[in-house]
Amino acid sequence: MVEARVAAFEHQVQALYLYDPESARQQAKASTERWAKGETLGMLDGIPVTIKELIATKGHPVPLGTAATELTAAASDAPAAARLREDGAVIFAKTTCPDYGMLSSGLSSFHPLSRNPWNLTQNPGGSSAGAASAAASSFGPLHIGTDIGGSIRLPAGWTGLFGFKPSQGRIPVDPFFVGRCAGPMTRTVEDSAIAMATLSRPDWRDATSLPPNAFDWVDLDIDVRGMKIGLMLDAGIGISLDDEVRAAVTAAAKRFEAAGAEIVEVAPVLTRTMLDGLDSFWRARFWGDIETMPDERKELILPYIFEWAKGGASVSGVEAVRGFNQTIEMRKACAKLFSGVDAVLSPTNPIVSYPADWASPTNDPLKPFEHIGYTVPWNMSEQPAASINCGFSRSGMPIGLQIVGPRFADLLVLKLSHAFEQWTGGVTNWPEPRLTP
């Protein structure tokens, strides 16, 4: 089934890297033999999985989405890949991402342009672009992405998926960076919940890794009566919210209200000072990574990314620290909001879609983060957040609802998401390959 879907659709969406059907068949055969003997390794034994290219897999290069990387084989599996192998998952491919994972786009100087399967002229978002395209194209049930400012939720919203960014440390990552998480991208909430039992096991390589948990990840029942849920329709900064997105998210909130929750409109947590500070810090940090790179390799970096990064050369050390301090301000603002609500609903993305060959929804390297106002605060506050489909635009593109919970309340976010999916019936008509001349 997966091989047939890839054969039919991959040439259009271009979601995969290192696709290896022969290895997948061997892994599947070993899993079948384990099942026959009653010696399965875990819940995911035999389940087809893709992993975002940024997540290292032993023996494979990690290009980081850019032609500027010198390709060398990874010495070991990163935590997410290691946990999947321990439980017998069939890793049949990795998925594409933009240069250094620094764009919400399927545009890369290394990988082919990844496209949104709902409309091939449109962008899947990013930076987990290939994971989103693969999942929405039905290339198997489970796809692992990463998220530092919305890179799981943003593409999930634009492709109709359920995408889950857990609490910091719930799924260990290596290398770690402030706000960086890994998480599942799936067509149903339950598929992500099943994966969490495997992915959430600790790993010493991530110093934020949380202790072992005994959660029943598939116990998704919840009664929302009496819950106080905030509705955030204003991100505070950035791209204006599309009317269609506003209407879909407002209708979603009414579903929770009809089920007995109290819905209260809440103010944004993000300010221009916060976002600009984060931009300065990220530019300085990234410029520090590439400053000593030979000029011939710098020239291979996607021009949009390089133009953005060059701004880091003029950021002083003091300015970089001030920028980093804005992540603390985000954390404080999020904590204050959650002192008065049990959860928050918001749009995932402010707009319905944008062209496939754009580097970001603004396509402007001077304004690279105007679309992450709803998503980035929860990375810095280390809170769990998910995107789930809440409708479609008149043009037929998916619209994402973001559901945010208190720090460490990962199960609550999954339960609320599952409840919403049950009320709406979820997405049932996934994209099919386009007929070509």
Side-chain angles (χ1 to χ4, degrees), residues 50-381:
T50 70
I51 300 177
K52 187 176 180 178
E53 181 250 278
L54 294 177
I55 300 172
T57 50
K58 185 177 180 179
H60 298 136
V62 185
L64 304 176
T66 179
T69 298
E70 294 180 338
L71 299 180
T72 56
S76 61
D77 286 332
R83 300 295 87 77
L84 290 167
R85 289 198 205 278
E86 288 166 3
D87 281 11
V90 176
I91 301 173
F92 68 91
K94 303 191 78 172
T95 50
T96 65
C97 67
D99 291 50
Y100 302 100
M102 289 304 297
L103 295 178
S104 190
S105 176
L107 186 63
S108 162
S109 65
F110 181 84
H111 300 291
L113 177 64
S114 298
R115 296 177 180 271
N116 193 321
W118 291 94
N119 182 334
L120 298 175
T121 71
Q122 298 300 291
N123 211 297
S127 61
S128 302
S133 293
S137 298
S138 301
F139 293 177
L142 177 59
H143 307 267
I144 310 302
T146 62
D147 189 316
I148 198 171
S151 288
I152 287 172
R153 290 157 290 156
L154 294 167
W158 277 311
T159 56
L161 300 170
F162 179 70
F164 183 48
K165 181 206 81 69
S167 299
Q168 187 73 55
R170 182 68 70 198
I171 297 176
V173 295
D174 179 41
F176 165 80
F177 188 70
V178 175
R180 183 173 187 250
C181 299
M185 302 173 71
T186 58
R187 294 189 299 278
T188 69
V189 176
E190 186 177 30
D191 283 348
S192 282
I194 290 170
M196 286 301 297
T198 295
L199 296 169
S200 64
R201 292 201 295 270
D203 193 295
W204 66 266
R205 291 172 289 177
D206 183 348
T208 71
S209 180
L210 297 176
N213 63 77
F215 301 157
D216 183 353
W217 288 100
V218 294
D219 178 10
L220 297 175
D221 292 336
I222 190 171
D223 185 348
V224 303
R225 286 178 294 183
M227 289 188 67
K228 188 174 183 180
I229 299 178
L231 175 61
M232 184 185 294
L233 292 173
D234 179 6
I237 54 86
I239 299 173
S240 297
L241 185 63
D242 274 2
D243 289 342
E244 288 185 273
V245 177
R246 180 186 299 273
V249 171
T250 300
K254 291 186 182 298
R255 294 267 193 174
F256 285 90
E257 189 173 49
E262 178 188 359
I263 302 296
V264 295
E265 290 201 21
V266 296
V269 291
L270 197 64
T271 66
R272 174 53 59 186
T273 299
M274 291 175 186
L275 188 61
D276 287 351
L278 184 63
D279 185 14
S280 293
F281 170 61
W282 276 350
R283 286 182 196 240
R285 180 249 180 180
F286 186 63
W287 185 251
D289 288 344
I290 68 171
E291 183 179 18
T292 59
M293 183 183 290
D295 288 344
E296 60 270 22
R297 286 178 56 205
K298 286 180 185 174
E299 292 173 359
L300 299 175
I301 298 172
L302 196 72
Y304 182 103
I305 287 289
F306 188 72
E307 287 302 309
W308 168 77
K310 278 199 307 186
S314 61
V315 176
S316 71
V318 170
E319 289 170 332
V321 171
R322 286 175 180 159
F324 177 80
N325 285 345
Q326 290 304 314
T327 68
I328 308 302
E329 295 304 311
M330 288 186 215
R331 181 190 293 260
K332 288 164 60 177
C334 294
K336 182 178 179 181
L337 171 59
F338 267 82
S339 68
V341 297
D342 300 308
V344 166
L345 306 177
S346 80
T348 304
N349 311 298
I351 62 173
V352 167
S353 65
Y354 57 103
D357 59 355
W358 281 21
S360 75
T362 64
N363 208 30
D364 182 351
L366 299 180
K367 297 179 179 179
F369 301 127
E370 299 302 296
H371 59 289
I372 65 173
Y374 293 106
T375 54
V376 72
W378 317 114
N379 292 79
M380 302 309 148
S381 66

